[in-house]
Amino acid sequence: MESMGKKKPRPRRSFTAEFKAEIVELCQRGDRSVGQVAKDFDLTETAVRQWLNQAERDAGTGDGGMTTSERDELNQLRREARRLREDVEILKRATAFFAKETR
């Protein structure tokens, strides 16, 4: 017996920045509603609304969240901090090793 009423989860898809910009532009023109644009392009309405909100933030008219460039910078700083923590851990191990060797 097949499962009743259970849908398979949709696989996660990724979209280019250009595609997102085109969808945002379609929504901002006002010819169609956000829901209609999402339906026409087989997207979730939630994703389209998030793209709209991010575009507004990037334009400086959003709700005060991070812009795309700020988010990119934060991700870069997090990667750098992770790498530096790893470097510190390696140096701690090396110091302990050489301190033991010199005794």
Side-chain angles (χ1 to χ4, degrees):
M1 185 178 211
E2 291 188 31
S3 61
M4 294 172 47
K6 291 206 175 187
K7 292 182 179 180
K8 270 187 151 179
R10 176 186 276 190
R12 187 167 183 90
R13 300 180 293 172
S14 61
F15 302 97
T16 64
E18 292 81 16
F19 177 77
K20 291 178 184 181
E22 287 178 26
I23 296 297
V24 166
E25 185 180 330
L26 283 173
C27 292
Q28 288 175 339
R29 270 195 231 147
D31 299 340
R32 296 183 270 181
S33 68
V34 172
Q36 187 61 46
V37 171
K39 187 176 179 182
D40 291 347
F41 288 90
D42 190 31
L43 302 167
T44 62
E45 193 171 334
T46 304
V48 175
R49 289 190 188 283
Q50 287 176 345
W51 297 346
L52 279 166
N53 288 337
Q54 188 63 48
E56 288 174 359
R57 281 187 214 112
D58 291 346
T61 60
D63 58 6
M66 285 191 289
T67 64
T68 302
S69 61
E70 290 171 336
R71 186 180 313 274
D72 290 344
E73 181 181 10
L74 177 62
N75 288 334
Q76 181 218 351
L77 291 172
R78 284 180 175 166
R79 280 191 300 273
E80 185 178 347
R82 185 179 329 115
R83 185 185 57 77
L84 291 172
R85 281 192 296 272
E86 291 169 0
D87 290 352
V88 167
E89 188 61 35
I90 290 170
L91 290 171
K92 283 181 183 178
R93 288 183 195 157
T95 301
F97 174 79
F98 287 117
K100 188 169 69 170
E101 288 289 319
T102 59
R103 288 183 191 175

